Amino acid sequence: MRYFAELDENNLVINAIVDTSITNNPAAIGFTYDENLNAFIPPQPDPTYILNTQTFEWEPDENLEYDLHGDGKLYRYNKELTGWIPTWDPEDS
């Protein structure tokens, strides 16, 4: 099986047929090809997220708090628990 990724002038994938045996991470529409990693990288969901170069997935910065739901409650990502833990609730003040 082979794959084809049509890139625009910014290395953004605009069309893809996937075969995962050629690169470290398969192409998908909206992903960007990183030549140094030989991988297609998904769009960064938030400017503070950090790319994990082993999984090629964006991860939240564990040192920052995020208002995930826009309700003022703050959460921090916990890698060990692989999930979000609450750190502050405005109703507790």
Side-chain angles (χ1 to χ4, degrees), residues 40-56:
F40 289 93
I41 308 301
Q44 189 175 17
D46 183 279
T48 62
Y49 277 41
I50 301 165
L51 181 65
N52 179 324
T53 56
Q54 301 300 310
T55 64
F56 307 104

Side-chain angles (χ1 to χ4, degrees), residues 8 17 20-21 28 31 34 58 61 66 68 73 77 80 82:
D8 69 8
I17 301 170
T20 59
S21 67
F31 284 28
D34 185 305
W58 293 99
D61 185 334
Y66 295 85
L68 297 176
K73 296 178 183 177
Y77 188 75
E80 291 175 12
T82 61

Side-chain angles (χ1 to χ4, degrees), residues 18-37:
V18 179
D19 174 2
T20 59
S21 67
I22 298 174
T23 64
N24 292 318
N25 200 40
I29 293 175
F31 284 28
T32 303
Y33 180 68
D34 185 305
E35 190 173 342
N36 294 323
L37 296 173

Side-chain angles (χ1 to χ4, degrees), residues 44-92:
Q44 189 175 17
D46 183 279
T48 62
Y49 277 41
I50 301 165
L51 181 65
N52 179 324
T53 56
Q54 301 300 310
T55 64
F56 307 104
E57 294 180 5
W58 293 99
E59 298 176 349
D61 185 334
E62 292 181 81
N63 299 311
L64 297 177
E65 294 177 323
Y66 295 85
D67 181 356
L68 297 176
H69 309 290
D71 58 4
K73 296 178 183 177
L74 298 179
Y75 298 82
R76 186 173 308 223
Y77 188 75
N78 184 306
K79 271 189 184 179
E80 291 175 12
L81 300 175
T82 61
W84 295 91
I85 56 171
T87 59
W88 185 77
D89 186 336
E91 294 178 11
D92 294 338

